[in-house]
Amino acid sequence: MAEKKFLNKLSQSVFGKTSEGPSLEEENKRLRRAVEELSILNDLALTVGTSADPQEMVHKLVDRLMRAVGAEQATVSLSDRKAQDSTKTQVRVMASSSELPQFHVNNAFLGWMEIYKKPLVINDPKTDQRFKGVDWDPTVREVMCVPLMVKSEMIGAITVYNKKGGGGFTEEDQRLLPIIAMQSAQIMDNGRLIKENAGMQEQVRLAYDIQRKLLPTATPEIPGYDVAGTSLPAQTVGGDYYDYIQTSSGDWAICLGDVSGKGLPASLLMANLQATLRGQTLVEAEVRERIERSNKLMHRSTDVEKFATLFYGVLKVSSHELTYVNAGHEPPLVFSASGGLKRLESGGLALGVLDDFPYTQETVAIANGDVMVIYSDGVTDATNLSDEQYGAERLASIVEKHLGEPASIIVDHIIEAVNAHAKGAAQLDDITVVVVKRVG
């Protein structure tokens, strides 16, 4: 055995080969090929990965495909993933190294890819029984096609035609092209997701702008009253809503609502609620009648799981009386200048729960120096890192400390206190506060 090993080493050093394995020249050739493949893959990753647009990625990919496998022509097709027909393409880019006809992948070809989802090599297209019905261009000698796969879903295909110099695509080509396809598919799908996300972010930004314009841009000038309010969505857009609406008689409707859910769906429902309440406020009717009609409209125009809590009150400036309905909302707090505290709870169910519900209304007097705080549950339900809620007691305590200050300052103190309580914990719900203070 030792003698055989010695002879093999001697043969390798003299002749470049052994009796038991490939020649050193062949090994070097394989190593050079491996290095070339790694260089090709690295170049593809850097080049294709610098683009965010799938169309641009495909353009960059086709040119490098031809060089990678020595093809005369390359085609990359991306499927239209929204179409019912899986062979319908959304992006198709072709590149050629010579003045050859532009070969088009037949739908039967892509259909085969969709079914089998594996590489396909055709060395003699005219005699291949799998595609005997295909009318091949006479200049097509060899075809190699591999699917672009992302999580078991085919998002497109790479096809190369005719090995330069003839001889057909090699085993190395047949190994390299699927690797390129696997790497490119993931990069292009990431690019698609980035582009879609950018589009969604733009839509969210527009929705945010629209929603902010639906909320009051300035506090109303109500004789004898100081009013302030703010709303901080948990996400870019939210489902909290507050408003000041002047009636035809000169009184003021003041409302604060909280629709179910968060984000874009909640913001759409909030816009619907605002339009409904503004329309009902223009109608001369009892406060409860306005809310009963609003409830019917919401129940009939939304899904069963959608609803909105609402506090709606009409402030009669001439008599300093507030007539309100609380539709399942957090009870507003009325702090008396004399030291008392009243919770405004009369009303009924949240809007949209039942089609026909008889709401009750209540009228309370607002004395000079009284402060009314209307808020959403994002205030009292705000939690800290120990999962401890801020609560109504803390809210009442912070307001009592600042009753003598302007309404806007009271709002600021409430928001600051809630944020201090949270101490860095994520805001899970929209936070909305309205303060109404009688000053004369």
Side-chain angles (χ1 to χ4, degrees):
M1 179 66 70
E3 182 182 357
K4 187 175 182 180
K5 287 183 177 179
F6 172 77
L7 290 174
N8 280 334
K9 288 183 178 180
L10 180 61
S11 175
Q12 181 180 355
S13 63
V14 176
F15 302 106
K17 59 182 179 180
T18 71
S19 61
E20 293 184 339
S23 68
L24 183 60
E25 182 179 351
E26 290 173 344
E27 285 293 334
N28 288 337
K29 185 178 180 180
R30 277 199 291 268
L31 285 172
R32 282 195 299 270
R33 178 65 181 176
V35 171
E36 289 174 2
E37 290 180 359
L38 288 173
S39 177
I40 290 168
L41 293 173
N42 183 62
D43 178 55
L44 276 169
L46 292 175
T47 304
V48 178
T50 56
S51 303
D53 182 19
Q55 179 87 33
E56 185 181 353
M57 288 181 180
V58 171
H59 276 282
K60 291 182 177 181
L61 177 61
V62 289
D63 180 60
R64 283 159 178 79
L65 279 174
M66 291 191 298
R67 286 186 283 166
V69 298
E72 292 181 351
Q73 193 171 106
T75 301
V76 177
S77 301
L78 296 184
S79 303
D80 186 351
R81 298 164 83 173
K82 296 180 181 179
Q84 293 183 350
D85 182 2
S86 60
T87 64
K88 184 178 181 182
T89 56
Q90 184 179 38
V91 177
R92 177 175 290 164
V93 176
M94 183 176 298
S96 179
S97 62
S98 59
E99 295 298 325
L100 293 173
Q102 291 194 346
F103 308 138
H104 291 275
V105 180
N106 188 278
N107 280 350
F109 212 16
L110 292 178
W112 191 96
M113 279 283 127
E114 183 66 36
I115 294 172
Y116 296 101
K117 294 181 173 64
K118 64 180 183 180
L120 174 67
V121 179
I122 303 176
N123 292 318
D124 189 356
K126 299 177 184 61
T127 61
D128 194 294
Q129 293 300 307
R130 293 168 295 184
F131 302 98
K132 58 183 179 181
V134 175
D135 184 18
W136 293 98
D137 188 281
T139 59
V140 177
R141 303 187 306 272
E142 306 100 12
V143 180
M144 182 165 56
C145 182
V146 294
L148 292 165
M149 303 293 298
V150 175
K151 296 179 180 178
S152 301
E153 179 187 0
M154 179 176 152
I155 67 168
I158 291 175
T159 309
V160 291
Y161 300 88
N162 298 347
K163 181 76 172 181
K164 288 182 179 180
F169 293 107
T170 65
E171 291 184 2
E172 287 84 358
D173 296 331
Q174 295 176 37
R175 185 183 70 252
L176 178 59
L177 196 61
I179 297 174
I180 292 174
M182 179 178 64
Q183 184 181 36
S184 301
Q186 190 60 62
I187 293 174
M188 285 189 285
D189 194 59
N190 290 342
R192 176 187 64 83
L193 293 174
I194 291 171
K195 187 175 181 180
E196 290 180 356
N197 183 62
M200 179 60 71
Q201 289 298 320
E202 176 63 14
Q203 293 299 315
V204 171
R205 187 192 65 78
L206 292 174
Y208 172 80
D209 289 342
I210 292 171
Q211 185 178 51
R212 300 312 296 179
K213 291 176 182 177
L214 293 177
L215 297 176
T217 57
T219 55
E221 294 184 3
I222 304 177
Y225 290 87
D226 179 19
V227 181
T230 192
S231 183
L232 306 175
Q235 299 180 12
T236 305
V237 292
D240 277 8
Y241 155 69
Y242 74 99
D243 210 349
Y244 320 111
I245 311 165
Q246 189 169 23
T247 68
S248 57
S249 60
D251 298 328
W252 284 87
I254 300 173
C255 52
L256 194 155
D258 183 358
V259 305
S260 58
K262 298 179 183 66
L264 284 173
S267 71
L268 293 173
L269 187 55
M270 183 275 276
N272 182 32
L273 176 61
Q274 186 214 43
T276 299
L277 290 175
R278 281 182 170 265
Q280 292 302 315
T281 301
L282 298 177
V283 178
E284 287 295 332
E286 291 285 328
V287 170
R288 62 173 181 80
E289 292 175 345
R290 295 174 184 171
I291 299 305
E292 287 170 359
R293 285 196 292 265
S294 298
N295 174 64
K296 284 180 180 289
L297 289 170
M298 176 159 287
H299 184 271
R300 295 173 185 179
S301 63
T302 57
D303 296 332
V304 292
E305 72 275 9
K306 299 297 183 182
F307 61 90
T309 66
L310 174 72
F311 176 84
Y312 179 91
V314 175
L315 181 63
K316 193 173 184 61
V317 178
S318 59
S319 61
H320 300 293
E321 291 179 322
L322 179 78
T323 302
Y324 75 90
V325 170
N326 186 333
H329 196 74
E330 297 292 321
L333 307 176
V334 178
F335 297 84
S336 172
S338 60
L341 175 62
K342 179 177 177 59
R343 289 177 168 81
L344 306 183
E345 300 176 319
S346 298
L349 293 174
L351 302 184
V353 176
L354 294 177
D355 180 62
D356 190 11
F357 185 85
Y359 288 88
T360 59
Q361 66 182 42
E362 181 182 5
T363 299
V364 295
I366 305 295
N368 192 22
D370 287 358
V371 175
M372 177 173 65
V373 178
I374 315 168
Y375 59 95
S376 65
D377 58 4
V379 174
T380 50
D381 291 351
T383 58
N384 56 22
L385 296 175
S386 300
D387 204 30
E388 182 184 10
Q389 292 186 336
Y390 182 70
E393 291 186 3
R394 287 189 177 90
L395 174 61
S397 177
I398 195 68
V399 175
E400 286 175 344
K401 292 179 181 178
H402 301 282
L403 287 175
E405 298 186 47
S408 61
I409 301 301
I410 297 175
V411 170
D412 290 342
H413 281 300
I414 293 173
I415 300 300
E416 290 171 3
V418 171
N419 290 334
H421 172 79
K423 293 180 181 177
Q427 180 184 337
L428 300 179
D429 203 356
D430 305 331
I431 295 175
T432 305
V433 179
V434 172
V435 172
V436 179
K437 179 177 182 179
R438 183 179 169 188
V439 293

mmCIF file of all heavy atoms in Angstrom, residues 310-333:
data_model
loop_
_atom_site.group_PDB
_atom_site.id
_atom_site.type_symbol
_atom_site.label_atom_id
_atom_site.label_comp_id
_atom_site.label_asym_id
_atom_site.label_seq_id
_atom_site.Cartn_x
_atom_site.Cartn_y
_atom_site.Cartn_z
ATOM 1 N N LEU A 310 -69.332 56.844 21.419
ATOM 2 C CA LEU A 310 -69.461 58.270 21.113
ATOM 3 C C LEU A 310 -70.026 59.034 22.300
ATOM 4 O O LEU A 310 -70.989 58.600 22.934
ATOM 5 C CB LEU A 310 -70.386 58.463 19.907
ATOM 6 C CG LEU A 310 -70.749 59.910 19.550
ATOM 7 C CD1 LEU A 310 -69.541 60.622 18.938
ATOM 8 C CD2 LEU A 310 -71.938 59.959 18.591
ATOM 9 N N PHE A 311 -69.405 60.181 22.557
ATOM 10 C CA PHE A 311 -70.031 61.169 23.432
ATOM 11 C C PHE A 311 -70.422 62.340 22.554
ATOM 12 O O PHE A 311 -69.585 62.888 21.823
ATOM 13 C CB PHE A 311 -69.095 61.644 24.544
ATOM 14 C CG PHE A 311 -69.705 62.729 25.383
ATOM 15 C CD1 PHE A 311 -70.549 62.414 26.443
ATOM 16 C CD2 PHE A 311 -69.477 64.074 25.104
ATOM 17 C CE1 PHE A 311 -71.147 63.413 27.203
ATOM 18 C CE2 PHE A 311 -70.072 65.080 25.858
ATOM 19 C CZ PHE A 311 -70.909 64.747 26.905
ATOM 20 N N TYR A 312 -71.706 62.722 22.630
ATOM 21 C CA TYR A 312 -72.224 63.817 21.809
ATOM 22 C C TYR A 312 -73.048 64.732 22.707
ATOM 23 O O TYR A 312 -74.045 64.314 23.304
ATOM 24 C CB TYR A 312 -73.089 63.255 20.683
ATOM 25 C CG TYR A 312 -73.718 64.287 19.765
ATOM 26 C CD1 TYR A 312 -73.068 64.706 18.616
ATOM 27 C CD2 TYR A 312 -74.971 64.836 20.048
ATOM 28 C CE1 TYR A 312 -73.647 65.631 17.757
ATOM 29 C CE2 TYR A 312 -75.555 65.763 19.208
ATOM 30 C CZ TYR A 312 -74.887 66.158 18.057
ATOM 31 O OH TYR A 312 -75.465 67.086 17.214
ATOM 32 N N GLY A 313 -72.595 65.982 22.824
ATOM 33 C CA GLY A 313 -73.316 66.937 23.652
ATOM 34 C C GLY A 313 -73.527 68.242 22.928
ATOM 35 O O GLY A 313 -72.695 68.661 22.118
ATOM 36 N N VAL A 314 -74.657 68.884 23.193
ATOM 37 C CA VAL A 314 -74.956 70.189 22.598
ATOM 38 C C VAL A 314 -74.950 71.227 23.708
ATOM 39 O O VAL A 314 -75.740 71.134 24.667
ATOM 40 C CB VAL A 314 -76.306 70.189 21.857
ATOM 41 C CG1 VAL A 314 -76.642 71.592 21.363
ATOM 42 C CG2 VAL A 314 -76.263 69.206 20.685
ATOM 43 N N LEU A 315 -74.029 72.173 23.596
ATOM 44 C CA LEU A 315 -73.882 73.226 24.600
ATOM 45 C C LEU A 315 -74.742 74.421 24.201
ATOM 46 O O LEU A 315 -74.511 75.058 23.174
ATOM 47 C CB LEU A 315 -72.408 73.638 24.694
ATOM 48 C CG LEU A 315 -72.073 74.730 25.716
ATOM 49 C CD1 LEU A 315 -72.385 74.281 27.133
ATOM 50 C CD2 LEU A 315 -70.592 75.121 25.573
ATOM 51 N N LYS A 316 -75.742 74.695 25.017
ATOM 52 C CA LYS A 316 -76.605 75.850 24.788
ATOM 53 C C LYS A 316 -75.966 77.044 25.481
ATOM 54 O O LYS A 316 -75.986 77.164 26.708
ATOM 55 C CB LYS A 316 -78.007 75.575 25.323
ATOM 56 C CG LYS A 316 -79.053 76.580 24.861
ATOM 57 C CD LYS A 316 -80.431 76.137 25.301
ATOM 58 C CE LYS A 316 -81.518 77.076 24.784
ATOM 59 N NZ LYS A 316 -81.566 77.145 23.304
ATOM 60 N N VAL A 317 -75.385 77.931 24.686
ATOM 61 C CA VAL A 317 -74.581 79.017 25.229
ATOM 62 C C VAL A 317 -75.424 79.994 26.044
ATOM 63 O O VAL A 317 -74.984 80.498 27.090
ATOM 64 C CB VAL A 317 -73.857 79.761 24.079
ATOM 65 C CG1 VAL A 317 -73.036 80.930 24.627
ATOM 66 C CG2 VAL A 317 -72.971 78.809 23.304
ATOM 67 N N SER A 318 -76.645 80.229 25.604
ATOM 68 C CA SER A 318 -77.484 81.230 26.276
ATOM 69 C C SER A 318 -77.841 80.840 27.701
ATOM 70 O O SER A 318 -77.948 81.692 28.588
ATOM 71 C CB SER A 318 -78.769 81.461 25.473
ATOM 72 O OG SER A 318 -79.494 80.246 25.334
ATOM 73 N N SER A 319 -78.027 79.534 27.954
ATOM 74 C CA SER A 319 -78.423 79.082 29.299
ATOM 75 C C SER A 319 -77.318 78.310 30.002
ATOM 76 O O SER A 319 -77.509 77.845 31.137
ATOM 77 C CB SER A 319 -79.666 78.195 29.195
ATOM 78 O OG SER A 319 -79.393 77.041 28.404
ATOM 79 N N HIS A 320 -76.183 78.133 29.355
ATOM 80 C CA HIS A 320 -75.062 77.374 29.918
ATOM 81 C C HIS A 320 -75.498 75.978 30.356
ATOM 82 O O HIS A 320 -75.184 75.512 31.454
ATOM 83 C CB HIS A 320 -74.426 78.136 31.097
ATOM 84 C CG HIS A 320 -73.887 79.471 30.703
ATOM 85 N ND1 HIS A 320 -72.813 79.643 29.859
ATOM 86 C CD2 HIS A 320 -74.310 80.731 31.043
ATOM 87 C CE1 HIS A 320 -72.573 80.939 29.688
ATOM 88 N NE2 HIS A 320 -73.473 81.625 30.395
ATOM 89 N N GLU A 321 -76.178 75.304 29.438
ATOM 90 C CA GLU A 321 -76.627 73.936 29.694
ATOM 91 C C GLU A 321 -76.074 73.010 28.602
ATOM 92 O O GLU A 321 -75.992 73.382 27.436
ATOM 93 C CB GLU A 321 -78.153 73.843 29.697
ATOM 94 C CG GLU A 321 -78.799 74.552 30.883
ATOM 95 C CD GLU A 321 -80.313 74.464 30.829
ATOM 96 O OE1 GLU A 321 -80.875 74.550 29.708
ATOM 97 O OE2 GLU A 321 -80.935 74.302 31.889
ATOM 98 N N LEU A 322 -75.732 71.816 29.023
ATOM 99 C CA LEU A 322 -75.233 70.805 28.092
ATOM 100 C C LEU A 322 -76.201 69.632 28.080
ATOM 101 O O LEU A 322 -76.433 69.001 29.113
ATOM 102 C CB LEU A 322 -73.844 70.319 28.517
ATOM 103 C CG LEU A 322 -73.238 69.230 27.631
ATOM 104 C CD1 LEU A 322 -72.677 69.833 26.338
ATOM 105 C CD2 LEU A 322 -72.143 68.451 28.368
ATOM 106 N N THR A 323 -76.785 69.366 26.913
ATOM 107 C CA THR A 323 -77.634 68.194 26.740
ATOM 108 C C THR A 323 -76.832 67.152 25.956
ATOM 109 O O THR A 323 -76.341 67.449 24.858
ATOM 110 C CB THR A 323 -78.921 68.545 25.982
ATOM 111 O OG1 THR A 323 -79.622 69.567 26.704
ATOM 112 C CG2 THR A 323 -79.815 67.330 25.834
ATOM 113 N N TYR A 324 -76.695 65.958 26.516
ATOM 114 C CA TYR A 324 -75.770 64.996 25.930
ATOM 115 C C TYR A 324 -76.369 63.599 25.847
ATOM 116 O O TYR A 324 -77.345 63.254 26.520
ATOM 117 C CB TYR A 324 -74.477 64.943 26.745
ATOM 118 C CG TYR A 324 -74.616 64.207 28.064
ATOM 119 C CD1 TYR A 324 -74.372 62.827 28.135
ATOM 120 C CD2 TYR A 324 -75.003 64.865 29.228
ATOM 121 C CE1 TYR A 324 -74.508 62.138 29.337
ATOM 122 C CE2 TYR A 324 -75.130 64.196 30.432
ATOM 123 C CZ TYR A 324 -74.883 62.824 30.481
ATOM 124 O OH TYR A 324 -75.042 62.152 31.665
ATOM 125 N N VAL A 325 -75.723 62.770 25.015
ATOM 126 C CA VAL A 325 -75.953 61.327 24.958
ATOM 127 C C VAL A 325 -74.588 60.656 24.972
ATOM 128 O O VAL A 325 -73.708 61.010 24.187
ATOM 129 C CB VAL A 325 -76.732 60.908 23.683
ATOM 130 C CG1 VAL A 325 -76.727 59.391 23.533
ATOM 131 C CG2 VAL A 325 -78.161 61.428 23.727
ATOM 132 N N ASN A 326 -74.432 59.700 25.857
ATOM 133 C CA ASN A 326 -73.195 58.921 25.909
ATOM 134 C C ASN A 326 -73.492 57.539 25.328
ATOM 135 O O ASN A 326 -74.136 56.712 25.956
ATOM 136 C CB ASN A 326 -72.685 58.794 27.346
ATOM 137 C CG ASN A 326 -71.312 58.121 27.410
ATOM 138 O OD1 ASN A 326 -70.942 57.333 26.557
ATOM 139 N ND2 ASN A 326 -70.569 58.443 28.455
ATOM 140 N N ALA A 327 -73.002 57.285 24.113
ATOM 141 C CA ALA A 327 -73.249 56.012 23.433
ATOM 142 C C ALA A 327 -72.075 55.066 23.687
ATOM 143 O O ALA A 327 -71.186 54.893 22.851
ATOM 144 C CB ALA A 327 -73.438 56.247 21.941
ATOM 145 N N GLY A 328 -72.060 54.468 24.864
ATOM 146 C CA GLY A 328 -71.059 53.470 25.211
ATOM 147 C C GLY A 328 -69.652 53.994 25.380
ATOM 148 O O GLY A 328 -68.685 53.216 25.370
ATOM 149 N N HIS A 329 -69.495 55.313 25.546
ATOM 150 C CA HIS A 329 -68.168 55.914 25.613
ATOM 151 C C HIS A 329 -67.702 56.056 27.059
ATOM 152 O O HIS A 329 -68.490 55.925 28.005
ATOM 153 C CB HIS A 329 -68.200 57.290 24.935
ATOM 154 C CG HIS A 329 -66.851 57.829 24.602
ATOM 155 N ND1 HIS A 329 -66.099 57.354 23.568
ATOM 156 C CD2 HIS A 329 -66.115 58.803 25.194
ATOM 157 C CE1 HIS A 329 -64.961 58.012 23.514
ATOM 158 N NE2 HIS A 329 -64.941 58.897 24.501
ATOM 159 N N GLU A 330 -66.392 56.300 27.207
ATOM 160 C CA GLU A 330 -65.858 56.604 28.535
ATOM 161 C C GLU A 330 -66.577 57.829 29.085
ATOM 162 O O GLU A 330 -66.678 58.849 28.386
ATOM 163 C CB GLU A 330 -64.354 56.895 28.446
ATOM 164 C CG GLU A 330 -63.517 55.724 27.962
ATOM 165 C CD GLU A 330 -63.477 54.591 28.958
ATOM 166 O OE1 GLU A 330 -63.405 54.865 30.176
ATOM 167 O OE2 GLU A 330 -63.534 53.428 28.522
ATOM 168 N N PRO A 331 -67.096 57.781 30.330
ATOM 169 C CA PRO A 331 -67.860 58.918 30.864
ATOM 170 C C PRO A 331 -66.988 60.166 31.010
ATOM 171 O O PRO A 331 -65.982 60.147 31.736
ATOM 172 C CB PRO A 331 -68.333 58.427 32.234
ATOM 173 C CG PRO A 331 -68.245 56.939 32.164
ATOM 174 C CD PRO A 331 -67.081 56.641 31.265
ATOM 175 N N PRO A 332 -67.313 61.268 30.340
ATOM 176 C CA PRO A 332 -66.581 62.519 30.555
ATOM 177 C C PRO A 332 -66.687 62.962 32.013
ATOM 178 O O PRO A 332 -67.657 62.631 32.725
ATOM 179 C CB PRO A 332 -67.284 63.499 29.617
ATOM 180 C CG PRO A 332 -67.868 62.638 28.545
ATOM 181 C CD PRO A 332 -68.301 61.388 29.258
ATOM 182 N N LEU A 333 -65.702 63.715 32.453
ATOM 183 C CA LEU A 333 -65.653 64.203 33.836
ATOM 184 C C LEU A 333 -65.958 65.695 33.850
ATOM 185 O O LEU A 333 -65.354 66.457 33.098
ATOM 186 C CB LEU A 333 -64.272 63.950 34.428
ATOM 187 C CG LEU A 333 -63.743 62.507 34.345
ATOM 188 C CD1 LEU A 333 -62.325 62.443 34.900
ATOM 189 C CD2 LEU A 333 -64.665 61.544 35.075
#
